[in-house]
Amino acid sequence: MPEEIIRPLSVDGVRFSYRVQPHSGPDGVPATEPALIIGGALQGMFGWPQMDDHLGDAADVVTADLPGMGTADPLPPGPSADLLRRTVLAVADDLGAPRLNVFGFSYGTAIAFGFARRHPERVARLALGGVPVHIDAAQVDCWERARRQLAAGDREGFAATAADALMCLDPERPVHRRELARRYVRRSFLHALTHSPHAADSLHRALADRPDFSGGLTGVPALVFAGEHDTVTSPARQREFAATIEGSRFLTIEESDHWVVLERAEEVAELIAGFFTGRRPAAGVVTLPRQAGARAGRT
């Protein structure tokens, strides 16, 4: 496999970087546009090896430490949505790519969806997983408790509370590799808090900024998926959101929750690879009509 490339960039003086794993197809020509993966809060450029494995023979795989993540500069004060959209545009321009395949997960779905609404002509296909369309009062209370723990210096307590808030812990609802994923998420939060000077601020921003998933979208082939036991935002609400995207496809993935990308890593990677390369849709994918009354187009 060709060696990865890491490129530094900046927007408005805010420094960040992205990584490219060049495609390894046998004929030397990628089968589809570069695939940009945008993860959740604190998920940086090195957290997606399964995407390298499943997409690497068809496309350049692009991951990033966007502002507030990993090695990038912290987000400046104030709303961050516009800045983050422009960092994605900067990556596309630096790649020299007229269009990208874009996959956003969790917190990253807001960035990916916002970019697609502002620049639909630059998006070949859009995949969104674990979309936090609606955060209920119980979730807000849980995250407020985690915030107080972090402010008091209780990193272990924060990591446990934050991880549990993102997972379905009901023993009556089966989740594949639940405890393994739970331990991994806790360790990831602790590692980020220990090694990134602005990890705590990034988490606060991810929780405080309420993403905008309104307005609909047309002209971009889209796939939305959810873990069947997602307790952050229910699959039903995620399906309602998917219906605001004209002609989108939607499916739920069994025995998984919000952390479906960990619990069903291979299945998710194969799903995204199939969608981006135009292979047959996975079983259970539903093509949705445009939701009546949804506004579409650019913001």
Side-chain angles (χ1 to χ4, degrees):
M1 181 174 287
E3 290 189 10
E4 67 183 19
I5 301 164
I6 296 178
R7 299 266 299 171
L9 292 175
S10 68
V11 171
D12 294 350
V14 180
R15 297 170 299 175
F16 63 100
S17 58
Y18 72 93
R19 164 191 173 272
V20 182
Q21 181 62 60
H23 77 279
S24 57
D27 59 0
V29 179
T32 187
E33 292 87 350
L36 172 64
I37 295 123
I38 308 172
L42 304 185
Q43 285 187 291
M45 67 171 71
F46 296 109
W48 301 95
Q50 71 273 30
M51 293 300 175
D52 291 345
D53 294 341
H54 285 266
L55 271 168
D57 62 346
D60 295 341
V61 180
V62 185
T63 56
D65 280 354
L66 296 180
M69 303 177 186
T71 58
D73 284 348
L75 287 164
S80 59
D82 180 65
L83 172 66
L84 290 168
R85 283 195 297 265
R86 287 187 289 123
T87 62
V88 175
L89 181 61
V91 170
D93 288 345
D94 196 62
L95 284 167
R99 298 196 304 169
L100 298 173
N101 291 306
V102 182
F103 168 37
F105 169 68
S106 190
Y107 175 75
T109 61
I111 304 170
F113 181 66
F115 178 74
R117 291 207 70 235
R118 182 63 62 87
H119 301 286
E121 75 285 354
R122 302 299 297 270
V123 181
R125 299 166 195 84
L126 176 68
L128 303 171
V131 187
V133 180
H134 173 76
I135 307 298
D136 63 20
Q139 277 279 321
V140 172
D141 288 346
C142 188
W143 281 108
E144 178 59 25
R145 184 167 68 254
R147 187 196 66 77
R148 291 195 299 267
Q149 289 172 310
L150 186 57
D154 181 7
R155 292 184 175 183
E156 292 275 356
F158 167 83
T161 300
D164 289 356
L166 294 170
M167 308 195 77
C168 173
L169 302 179
D170 182 352
E172 299 300 316
R173 302 165 76 180
V175 173
H176 188 58
R177 299 176 178 169
R178 183 188 346 241
E179 285 307 314
L180 182 64
R182 190 181 186 187
R183 291 195 299 270
Y184 179 87
V185 173
R186 287 185 180 189
R187 288 198 304 268
S188 295
F189 281 145
L190 280 173
H191 182 271
L193 290 169
T194 302
H195 294 90
S196 174
H198 50 265
D201 177 68
S202 296
L203 284 167
H204 287 317
R205 295 291 291 271
L207 300 176
D209 289 352
R210 286 291 177 259
D212 181 9
F213 291 104
S214 65
L217 178 64
T218 61
V220 177
L223 170 71
V224 181
F225 66 93
E228 69 168 332
H229 302 308
D230 194 330
T231 52
V232 175
T233 296
S234 71
R237 284 188 178 270
Q238 293 187 57
R239 180 175 174 137
E240 290 173 0
F241 159 72
T244 70
I245 303 174
E246 185 176 29
S248 66
R249 299 171 178 177
F250 178 82
L251 83 161
T252 58
I253 298 179
E254 295 181 349
E255 296 190 1
S256 60
D257 57 23
H258 188 71
W259 279 106
V260 58
V261 294
L262 293 178
E263 296 147 354
R264 293 291 188 182
E266 291 299 308
E267 290 90 338
V268 169
E270 183 59 30
L271 173 69
I272 300 303
F275 178 61
F276 284 170
T277 57
R279 296 199 293 267
R280 184 187 300 272
V285 172
V286 176
T287 300
L288 300 172
R290 183 176 173 215
Q291 186 179 48
R295 292 185 300 108
R298 304 186 190 193
T299 54

